[in-house]
Amino acid sequence: MTSTPNSISIVAISRHGAELARKLAIGLEGHGDLHMSRRFHEPSGPETPFDLPVRPVIQKLFSESQRLVLFMPVGAAVRLLASSLRNKHSDPAVVCVDDGGRFAVSLVSGHLGGADALAQEVAEVLGAVPVITSGSHVMRVLAVDLLGQDLGWKIEAQPGQITRASAAVVNGEAVALAQDAGDLSWRQANQEVPQKLPDNVTIYPSIDAATESNWAAALLITDRDISANLDKHTGDDAVVIYRPKTLVAGMGCRRGVATEHLEQLLISAFDANGLSLASLSCIATAELKKDEPGILELAQKYDVPVRCYSADELNSVFEARSQSEVDGEGVNPPNPPLRKGGNSGTADDLAMTGVDDSGAAGQSGEGTFGPTLQPRVHALLGIWGVAEPSALLAAGSRELLAPRIKTDRATIAIARIA
């Protein structure tokens, strides 16, 4: 007896429960796997029968499923699941429905696991009342553990900090919120978050302004390393950091360079510019590096895609920049000028690999930067650069967040998605 990945395991042990379970499965349009007590199983239907006792069935499905709907009393479900419960980060969503089909109760993993949303979905199909007791839901306030979830944000917090921050929001304590990176539409996009934040949540214009204020909890949305900002705050202050996927690492390298070398360059570049690797969205490079093992393995390790660009696409970045300067066109901040690279590296190396042909090892800085023209690379490969233009293309940006850093085997540049 197994559950299809991403489906909803539906379990019924009574005649009325079986009827409701079949109605639910139809309403879920094929996303429900039915598991029926053999007494009420219909051989002609797409159901998996089981023999009582139901405890081993429930425990097995609990370990295999992401979402579970039990047609039985809440008390019975609690006793059956008690020994299987671990924590809200790993337990599946569990919803209980009574035999009368009157209530759909969010029982386990309401927020992170999605039981609150599942209870509403089940209730809609059955014409039942969803019963949800999560504090942020019933108080109609910000759900700390759901913020940015639908946008792919990662959460960083010490043990217990999310719970304490959630309590501060619900209890009306002072909560600071600041965002300097990522999608700004989350207040409208996330249905769990009301468009008007609670009165006790203050939005600050910057991370610095937020961390310098006094609060019981802080919700900080950033792709920067802000550990130094939090030095003055004690362990009694709850801090939750959200990491949007906003940073692109453009990379070029010599053929056959080791993954370890590329990773060290990646880490060094992010550290040097005070950026968080948790916000890495992709690695960008030239089409000629699409099969480079080191780049592919690095992307796999950080669970991000590799974006590859043709010579024409890479060169278009420089052409667009040059044209905007000729036309006197500007952006805010103004377009930085094109820079001309040096002549480090050998012609053979460049012809083999397309590694960027300029920049000093360990170069770093802050602000915005334009791409560097690399005449020798262009003469050999027809490409004016790799790391910088690929980063800009993948980010959809016109300015680099960090200038190129170069080693003897690879280069990296960083851009931010607007």
Side-chain angles (χ1 to χ4, degrees):
M1 180 188 305
T2 58
S3 177
T4 305
N6 299 320
S7 68
I8 301 171
S9 295
I10 304 170
V11 181
I13 58 174
S14 69
R15 186 179 304 279
H16 290 299
E19 293 172 358
L20 290 169
R22 293 185 186 101
K23 179 180 178 181
L24 176 61
I26 293 172
L28 294 176
E29 299 180 343
H31 295 293
D33 291 333
L34 285 168
H35 302 267
M36 300 286 189
S37 171
R38 193 174 298 278
R39 290 179 60 197
F40 310 110
H41 166 57
E42 292 183 353
S44 60
E47 305 171 2
T48 301
F50 61 83
D51 296 310
L52 298 176
V54 72
R55 183 184 299 275
V57 176
I58 297 293
Q59 292 181 342
K60 180 174 175 56
L61 289 174
F62 186 85
S63 67
E64 296 174 345
S65 307
Q66 294 181 344
R67 295 178 291 175
L68 191 59
V69 178
L70 307 178
F71 284 86
M72 62 180 63
V74 167
V78 170
R79 287 191 293 273
L80 291 169
L81 293 173
S83 62
S84 300
L85 296 175
R86 295 294 178 263
N87 59 68
K88 65 180 181 179
H89 301 287
S90 60
D91 291 340
V94 180
V95 169
C96 269
V97 182
D98 62 284
D99 271 5
R102 294 179 59 196
F103 303 103
V105 182
S106 174
L107 186 65
V108 175
S109 296
H111 268 165
L112 290 182
D116 291 352
L118 180 58
Q120 291 175 311
E121 185 177 4
V122 170
E124 184 176 352
V125 172
L126 298 179
V129 176
V131 179
I132 300 171
T133 58
S134 301
S136 60
H137 183 92
V138 299
M139 298 297 293
R140 304 295 298 170
V141 296
L142 178 71
V144 171
D145 51 356
L146 288 185
L147 179 57
Q149 184 184 67
D150 57 335
L151 298 172
W153 296 357
K154 290 185 176 180
I155 294 181
E156 292 180 3
Q158 295 298 318
Q161 295 282 291
I162 294 177
T163 300
R164 289 163 59 189
S166 298
V169 173
V170 172
N171 294 330
E173 300 176 71
V175 177
L177 189 151
Q179 178 176 6
D180 65 7
D183 195 330
L184 297 172
S185 66
W186 56 268
R187 287 177 64 182
Q188 290 76 37
N190 190 335
Q191 298 303 312
E192 290 294 323
V193 181
Q195 295 185 17
K196 183 179 184 301
L197 292 171
D199 291 339
N200 60 310
V201 177
T202 302
I203 299 179
Y204 288 84
S206 68
I207 301 294
D208 291 343
T211 54
E212 289 170 3
S213 63
N214 294 316
W215 33 259
L219 312 179
L220 309 174
I221 306 163
T222 182
D223 55 19
R224 297 189 293 115
D225 176 4
I226 58 170
S227 54
N229 297 62
L230 303 173
D231 286 346
K232 80 168 192 173
H233 292 280
T234 69
D236 294 332
D237 297 327
V239 179
V240 181
I241 301 174
Y242 302 87
R243 299 298 191 186
K245 294 287 189 177
T246 52
L247 301 178
V248 174
M251 301 190 82
C253 68
R254 300 190 189 282
R255 183 174 298 165
V257 65
T259 304
E260 292 76 17
H261 182 87
L262 295 176
E263 183 176 20
Q264 186 55 54
L265 176 59
L266 178 69
I267 294 171
S268 298
F270 273 62
D271 285 348
N273 290 280
L275 301 171
S276 170
L277 276 168
S279 286
L280 179 65
S281 66
C282 72
I283 295 174
T285 190
E287 183 71 23
L288 59 88
K289 308 303 294 181
K290 66 180 181 180
D291 297 322
E292 186 63 44
I295 291 178
L296 296 177
E297 291 172 10
L298 182 64
Q300 183 177 23
K301 181 172 182 178
Y302 284 85
D303 193 26
V304 296
V306 177
R307 309 288 187 206
C308 298
Y309 297 95
S310 67
D312 287 344
E313 289 174 310
L314 296 172
N315 288 338
S316 71
V317 173
F318 297 91
E319 293 163 2
R321 173 84 56 182
S322 298
Q323 187 61 49
S324 69
E325 290 167 2
V326 170
D327 296 340
E329 189 179 303
V331 295
N332 188 18
N335 279 333
L338 288 167
R339 296 170 289 144
K340 185 174 180 179
N343 293 318
S344 60
T346 67
D348 288 343
D349 286 339
L350 293 169
M352 268 197 333
T353 67
V355 66
D356 287 349
D357 179 29
S358 65
Q363 180 184 5
S364 67
E366 297 179 356
T368 56
F369 306 86
T372 307
L373 286 166
Q374 300 166 60
R376 290 192 66 199
V377 178
H378 187 267
L380 291 164
L381 301 174
I383 301 174
W384 285 111
V386 175
E388 292 181 329
S390 64
L392 291 171
L393 286 169
S397 177
R398 299 179 70 182
E399 284 80 38
L400 293 164
L401 183 61
R404 185 174 59 257
I405 295 177
K406 180 180 183 297
T407 71
D408 61 340
R409 285 171 280 176
T411 55
I412 187 172
I414 304 171
R416 176 183 282 137
I417 299 170

